[in-house]
Amino acid sequence: MSQNYNLPSEVKFCAECVISNQRPITKIETKHSNKEEKETTFFDEKGVCDACNWSKIKKTKIDWDEREKELIKLLDFHRSKKGNYDVVVPASGGKDSMYVAHVLKEKYNMHPLTVTWSPHIYTNIGKKNFYNMINNGFDNILATPNGKVHKLLTKLAFMNIGHPFQPFIIGQRVIGPKVAMEKKIPLIFYGENVAEYGNRIEDNYSPLMDNNLITAFNIDDDELLLSGVNIGELKEKYNLSNNDFEAYRSPNIDDINSLGLQVHYMSYYKFWRPQENFYYASQHMGLEVADERTPGTYTKSNGLDDKLECFHYYLMLLKFGLGRANSDSAQEIRDGKISRDEGVALVHKYDTEFPEKRFQDFLDYTSIDKETFHETLDKFRNPNLWEKKSNFWDLKYKVK
């Protein structure tokens, strides 16, 4: 049975970039189910999305010198006089986390500890960049969950809620706070607030991550949803225990408040430009691009770490009509790297591309066959956005 997620019935595309009013706003991962309704990116009366309006605000109305003074004051308060770790940086070895870690260490004399939640399957270039980061002067803790359990959860998340990346996102979200709590380091720095790309515009005015995002996964609660199933049911059906879910356990709010832990976004303090972060990380951290473009888009510098990430974006395409090329081109339009017409052309060319080169990797990782895979895709394909023509599916609404 197909789903439409209660999205706006009339599809509208932003007048300035290429995203549509079908783009969902980030929510707490444990709230995802197969019956959920989605809140979507706001469009103003001129047909302009929140991400584009924020892009103009940050170019014209934010005093970035004052923001840097705020950053310096914050870092001066937390900097270790003995050279101990004083900030945790969740880092994959991609351009943005490399930029954050290097700037904190080299410009602001902090002593960062980088932490990483392992990809499902490293790409060769992803692993190389990960070690490039370490070899350019950074300690790292790599967290790798129980492979048997993580594969099961990924499979169930795909089949139950059309969200195969959910277990990874949970792990990625909790690893920084968990390490910070264990090491008693009350400061974490992420890269950008997702509001840069279409979440609520007002979220950009706070430097802090919502603590609900990092305290939402209590594995002792058998009613908690993971991969679309209550944890209690997962334990019973698959003979699992709390120990099997321990890697995904988040800190609780009382412990975070006791330490005084704060999670900050660098995009609040620095004018955030992903392409400039790429140049910076290439120059200072040895970041390298892939030999070929990422499936579903036109770039060679995004989605470098994980062989399965392209399926996250492909499911986004089926559910919301927006894939990886749409996301990448929208950012570059706002940053003035390409025109809207160029972005539209890139979306038309690459956005609906099936990630064939990674298909067998996905099947092997999740232990499902091709027939089950395609049946699952059709279950989550939004009937308001897609129509079948002969042997293929076609998007009803395309950006123009």
Side-chain angles (χ1 to χ4, degrees):
M1 181 179 179
S2 298
Q3 302 179 50
N4 61 23
Y5 309 100
N6 198 34
L7 300 173
S9 57
E10 182 182 1
V11 178
K12 297 179 180 180
F13 288 92
C14 178
E16 296 186 1
C17 72
V18 290
I19 71 169
S20 77
N21 61 346
Q22 308 292 292
R23 182 198 175 279
I25 283 178
T26 302
K27 68 187 301 182
I28 296 171
E29 286 298 325
T30 54
K31 302 296 184 182
H32 286 297
S33 74
N34 59 3
K35 297 179 181 179
E36 66 181 310
E37 297 180 357
K38 298 285 189 182
E39 182 183 358
T40 58
T41 297
F42 178 76
F43 280 48
D44 68 15
E45 66 280 358
K46 296 180 181 178
V48 179
C49 73
D50 264 359
C52 285
N53 279 324
W54 171 248
S55 179
K56 287 178 281 189
I57 289 170
K58 73 179 187 179
K59 291 172 184 175
T60 59
K61 296 184 178 181
I62 302 298
D63 187 333
W64 292 106
D65 290 335
E66 285 301 314
R67 289 286 179 90
E68 181 166 34
K69 291 178 183 177
E70 290 182 48
L71 175 62
I72 291 171
K73 183 178 180 181
L74 174 73
L75 298 180
D76 284 349
F77 178 80
H78 285 279
R79 188 177 297 106
S80 169
K81 294 181 174 61
K82 296 182 178 180
N84 298 325
Y85 299 133
D86 46 27
V87 59
V88 170
V89 180
S92 64
K95 62 184 185 302
D96 297 327
S97 54
M98 279 186 170
Y99 164 73
V100 172
H102 192 274
V103 163
L104 286 172
K105 180 177 182 178
E106 300 299 335
K107 181 172 183 179
Y108 298 107
N109 298 314
M110 297 296 286
H111 310 93
L113 171 62
T114 65
V115 297
T116 305
W117 180 266
S118 177
H120 298 86
I121 308 172
Y122 261 115
T123 63
N124 290 335
I125 191 64
K127 182 170 285 187
K128 187 174 183 179
N129 282 328
F130 173 68
Y131 283 107
N132 283 347
M133 176 183 72
I134 294 170
N135 292 333
N136 272 280
F138 292 87
D139 290 346
N140 176 267
I141 293 176
L142 174 64
T144 306
N146 178 324
K148 183 178 180 180
V149 174
H150 200 60
K151 288 179 179 182
L152 171 65
L153 295 176
T154 301
K155 175 181 180 177
L156 293 175
F158 171 61
M159 298 188 69
N160 291 333
I161 56 175
H163 186 13
F165 238 52
Q166 188 202 49
F168 172 85
I169 291 172
I170 291 173
Q172 192 179 51
R173 187 67 57 72
V174 304
I175 185 59
K178 285 178 74 168
V179 170
M181 294 298 300
E182 291 169 3
K183 300 289 185 183
K184 298 189 177 353
I185 304 169
L187 180 64
I188 300 175
F189 254 97
Y190 278 83
E192 76 274 44
N193 191 323
V194 186
E196 288 270 334
Y197 308 129
N199 275 19
R200 301 176 192 88
I201 195 169
E202 57 268 23
D203 290 352
N204 285 301
Y205 291 97
S206 171
L208 299 173
M209 181 182 287
D210 180 356
N211 279 341
N212 288 318
L213 293 173
I214 59 172
T215 59
F217 201 70
N218 174 16
I219 66 170
D220 298 321
D221 179 3
D222 281 351
E223 297 302 312
L224 199 72
L225 285 173
L226 174 58
S227 300
V229 186
N230 291 334
I231 278 195
E233 184 178 341
L234 287 171
K235 292 174 183 176
E236 182 176 351
K237 186 172 182 179
Y238 298 100
N239 193 29
L240 301 173
S241 67
N242 270 20
N243 179 66
D244 295 303
F245 298 103
E246 191 62 40
Y248 309 92
R249 183 194 291 274
S250 62
N252 64 56
I253 192 68
D254 291 337
D255 289 341
I256 280 180
N257 290 339
S258 176
L259 179 63
L261 178 65
Q262 290 187 335
V263 184
H264 286 252
Y265 292 112
M266 187 61 77
S267 62
Y268 173 85
Y269 301 100
K270 296 286 189 179
F271 189 98
W272 196 257
R273 290 171 291 189
Q275 190 67 25
E276 302 307 315
N277 295 349
F278 165 73
Y279 296 141
Y280 183 99
S282 298
Q283 179 181 355
H284 297 285
M285 298 279 272
L287 178 70
E288 299 181 32
V289 299
D291 293 330
E292 55 187 7
R293 62 181 179 80
T294 302
T297 191
Y298 55 93
T299 74
K300 296 181 179 181
S301 58
N302 289 333
L304 295 181
D305 312 323
D306 195 326
K307 288 185 177 182
L308 302 192
E309 186 187 38
C310 48
F311 289 94
H312 170 63
Y313 283 95
Y314 194 74
L315 266 294
M316 293 283 289
L317 172 72
L318 299 191
K319 293 188 286 187
F320 312 115
L322 306 169
R324 180 83 203 219
N326 188 290
S327 176
D328 291 344
S329 59
Q331 291 178 33
E332 294 201 337
I333 291 168
R334 295 181 204 116
D335 288 345
K337 303 298 183 182
I338 61 175
S339 69
R340 187 177 188 277
D341 286 345
E342 289 171 318
V344 168
L346 289 167
V347 170
H348 288 174
K349 186 172 183 178
Y350 296 111
D351 214 36
T352 58
E353 178 184 41
F354 180 75
E356 187 67 44
K357 293 179 180 179
R358 305 296 193 203
F359 188 26
Q360 193 59 51
D361 292 319
F362 188 91
L363 297 179
D364 291 344
Y365 191 87
T366 55
S367 299
I368 62 175
D369 56 40
K370 291 183 180 181
E371 182 179 0
T372 302
F373 176 87
H374 288 292
E375 287 175 353
T376 304
L377 290 191
D378 287 342
K379 182 171 71 172
F380 293 104
R381 190 186 301 272
N382 190 332
N384 289 345
L385 302 179
W386 294 86
E387 59 184 349
K388 199 161 192 179
K389 295 182 177 179
S390 299
N391 299 353
F392 70 95
W393 287 96
D394 189 45
L395 264 177
K396 295 180 183 179
Y397 310 100
K398 301 179 178 69
V399 63
K400 297 177 181 178

